[in-house]
Amino acid sequence: AAKAAEEAAAAKAAEEARIAAEQEEAARVAEEARIKAEKEEAERKAEEAREKAAEEQRIAAAKAAEEARIAAEKAAEAARIKAEQEAAAAKKKAAEDACKKTLAAAGDVAAIDAALAEASKLDLADCAEAVAAAELKADLVARAKAEAACKDSLVASRGMDPIAMAAALAEASVLGIAGCAEAKETAAAKDALEARIASEKAALGDLVAATAGASTQWPPAAAIASLEKALDAAETLGLASDEVSDAREALVAAARIAVLAAEGEGVAPKRKAAARAADAWKIARKVEGLTAEGRARVEARVAGAAKLQAYLSDQRRGATVGDWGDDEGFLFRIKPDGVVDVLPSRGEGVSWKLVAEDDLAVTIEATVKLYQYTRGGRPASAREHVYTGTVAGDAFSGAVSTTMFGEKAEADFSMRKM
C-alpha cells in the first residue's frame, strides 16, 4: 500500500511535472507565437511606413516636378515678353534713329515736311534734329521768298537807270542767283542802257564840240560838215536836247555865213564878226547851262554811288548772317544783333562782331563755347573758341583759336554757309 501510494504520488508528481512541462511548452510556444506575431506586425508596420514614405516621396517629387514645370513656363513666358519688349524697343529705337537721320539729311521743304510728320508720329517733334530741321525749313522758305522778291526787283529795275539795275544785280549776287534768267536779262539790259548812254554822251560831246568850233572854222564848209555829221549821229540816236537845237542853229548860222562869204569880201568880215559875237554869246550861254547841268548830274551820280555803296555794305554784312557749318555739319548761327547761337548739344553761343570790310569781303570775329566730352561721351565743360576770318560770298576762311593748359592754340579753319 505504501509502495502503491508512493507510486501514485510519483505518478502524480510525474503527471504534474508533465502538465507543468506542457504548460511551460505551451507558454513558450505562445510566447514565441506572440513574439513572431509582434515581429510580423512590426515588419508590416515598417513596410507600411516604407510604402507611405515612398508615396510621400513620389508625391513630393511629382509636386516638385510640377512646380519646376510651372516655374519653367513662367520663366519662358517672362523671357518671351522681355524679348518682345526688347524687340519693340529696338524697333522703336531704329525707327527713331532713321527718322533723325532723315531729319538731318532733308535739304528741301518737301523732304523736311515729310520728315517732321514722321517725327511727330514717333513723338520726336521736340528733338534737336526736328528743331534744326524746322529752323532750316524756315530759312529755306525765307530764302525762297527773298529770291522771288529779288527776281521781281530785277524785272522791275529794267525800266530804271543803271544804278537801280546794279543794285538789283548786287542783291542777286548776294543771294547766289546771279546766274538766273532774270539776272542775265537785267545785266544785258544794263549793259545795253550803259552803252546807249555812253553813245548819247559821246554824240552830245561831238555836238557841243562842233557847235563851239563852228565860229572859228574857215571856210564855213568845214564847220557845216562837222555840224551835219554830229547832227546825223544825234538823229540816229533819237536825241532831242538843247545841244541838238544849238547845233542846228549853229548849222543855219554857218550856212548863212557861207552865203555871205560868197556875196562878197566886203560884207563878209562884218558878218563874220557878228556871227562870231553871236556864236560867242551862244557858246557862253550854253557853257554856263552845261556847267550847271553837269554839276547837277555829277551830284546826282555821287549821291547814287554813295547809296549803292551803303547798300552793298549792308548786303555784305547781311551775307554774314545765317547758319555756318564745317565738314561735320552745322556749327553755329550768326544773328544780325551780334548774337551767336549754338546747338545745345554742342555748346553755347556768345557773340560776333565785324572787324573790317572792303569791296569784296568782310572780316568777322565770332566767339562760342564748345563742350569738351569725357571718355564716356558726356559733356564735361565748355571751352571758349574764337573764329576770326574773312567772309566772301558763302565761304569763311581764317583761323580758330582757344586756350589750352594756359596757352593759346590756333589753327587754320574754313567753313561754309549752309
Side-chain angles (χ1 to χ4, degrees):
K3 186 178 180 181
E6 288 177 1
E7 291 178 354
K12 182 179 178 182
E15 182 65 23
E16 288 177 352
R18 185 187 63 75
I19 292 171
E22 288 179 354
Q23 288 179 347
E24 288 178 1
E25 181 65 23
R28 185 186 63 76
V29 171
E31 182 65 22
E32 290 178 353
R34 183 186 66 75
I35 292 172
K36 182 179 181 182
E38 289 179 354
K39 183 178 181 182
E40 289 177 351
E41 180 65 21
E43 290 177 351
R44 184 185 63 77
K45 288 182 178 180
E47 182 64 24
E48 288 179 354
R50 284 195 300 272
E51 290 178 355
K52 183 178 180 181
E55 182 65 19
E56 288 177 351
Q57 289 179 355
R58 185 187 64 77
I59 292 172
K63 182 179 180 181
E66 182 65 17
E67 290 177 349
R69 183 186 64 79
I70 293 172
E73 290 180 353
K74 288 183 177 179
E77 181 66 15
R80 183 186 64 79
I81 293 173
K82 182 179 180 182
E84 290 179 353
Q85 291 176 346
E86 290 177 350
K91 183 177 180 181
K92 182 179 180 182
K93 182 66 168 54
E96 290 177 350
D97 291 343
C99 182
K100 289 180 180 180
K101 288 182 180 179
T102 303
L103 285 168
D108 55 58
V109 176
I112 292 174
D113 285 339
L116 288 175
E118 184 66 20
S120 179
K121 293 179 182 178
L122 295 174
D123 294 331
L124 294 175
D126 296 330
C127 71
E129 291 79 359
V131 173
E135 292 176 351
L136 176 59
K137 176 188 174 183
D139 291 342
L140 290 175
V141 171
R143 182 177 178 81
K145 290 182 180 179
E147 290 179 356
C150 181
K151 290 180 179 180
D152 292 340
S153 298
L154 286 169
V155 175
S157 68
R158 293 174 198 165
M160 303 179 184
D161 55 46
I163 295 177
M165 287 188 280
L169 288 170
E171 182 180 0
S173 178
V174 170
L175 292 174
I177 57 172
C180 68
E182 291 83 354
K184 291 180 179 179
E185 292 175 2
T186 301
K190 174 177 172 291
D191 293 340
L193 181 58
E194 288 178 343
R196 179 176 178 82
I197 291 173
S199 299
E200 292 177 352
K201 184 177 180 180
L204 288 175
D206 292 341
L207 275 174
V208 172
T211 302
S215 61
T216 59
Q217 286 182 321
W218 190 262
I224 292 172
S226 299
L227 288 169
E228 287 179 343
K229 182 179 180 182
L231 284 170
D232 289 340
E235 290 176 358
T236 301
L237 294 173
L239 299 179
S241 61
D242 292 340
E243 290 85 349
V244 176
S245 299
D246 293 340
R248 286 174 178 168
E249 291 177 0
L251 178 62
V252 171
R256 291 180 62 189
I257 291 172
V259 171
L260 290 174
E263 289 179 353
E265 290 294 332
V267 180
K270 295 180 180 180
R271 292 191 174 181
K272 285 174 66 176
R276 281 196 296 270
D279 287 342
W281 177 81
K282 289 180 180 179
I283 290 172
R285 182 172 62 86
K286 186 58 181 177
V287 168
E288 182 180 352
L290 288 175
T291 300
E293 183 178 353
R295 185 181 298 108
R297 289 186 180 181
V298 169
E299 291 175 353
R301 289 182 181 275
V302 169
K307 290 180 180 180
L308 177 59
Q309 185 63 31
Y311 172 80
L312 293 177
S313 177
D314 290 341
Q315 292 299 317
R316 286 193 295 271
R317 292 168 182 257
T320 307
V321 177
D323 293 347
W324 292 88
D326 54 14
D327 294 337
E328 296 179 0
F330 177 83
L331 185 59
F332 52 71
R333 173 175 295 162
I334 293 179
K335 291 187 173 182
D337 54 0
V339 175
V340 178
D341 283 348
V342 179
L343 288 177
S345 62
R346 295 195 66 175
E348 305 170 3
V350 181
S351 63
W352 75 278
K353 63 181 180 180
L354 186 66
V355 178
E357 67 174 311
D358 55 29
D359 292 340
L360 300 176
V362 296
T363 301
I364 66 168
E365 179 182 289
T367 304
V368 300
K369 292 183 178 180
L370 300 180
Y371 287 140
Q372 308 300 306
Y373 291 88
T374 64
R375 294 182 179 178
R378 296 181 178 275
S381 62
R383 179 178 294 166
E384 186 174 278
H385 290 67
V386 179
Y387 296 83
T388 305
T390 300
V391 175
D394 292 341
F396 172 95
S397 177
V400 57
S401 63
T402 186
T403 301
M404 298 177 65
F405 306 109
E407 295 185 0
K408 182 178 180 181
E410 184 174 289
D412 294 338
F413 182 79
S414 63
M415 58 183 174
R416 62 186 182 280
K417 200 170 186 182
M418 303 181 69

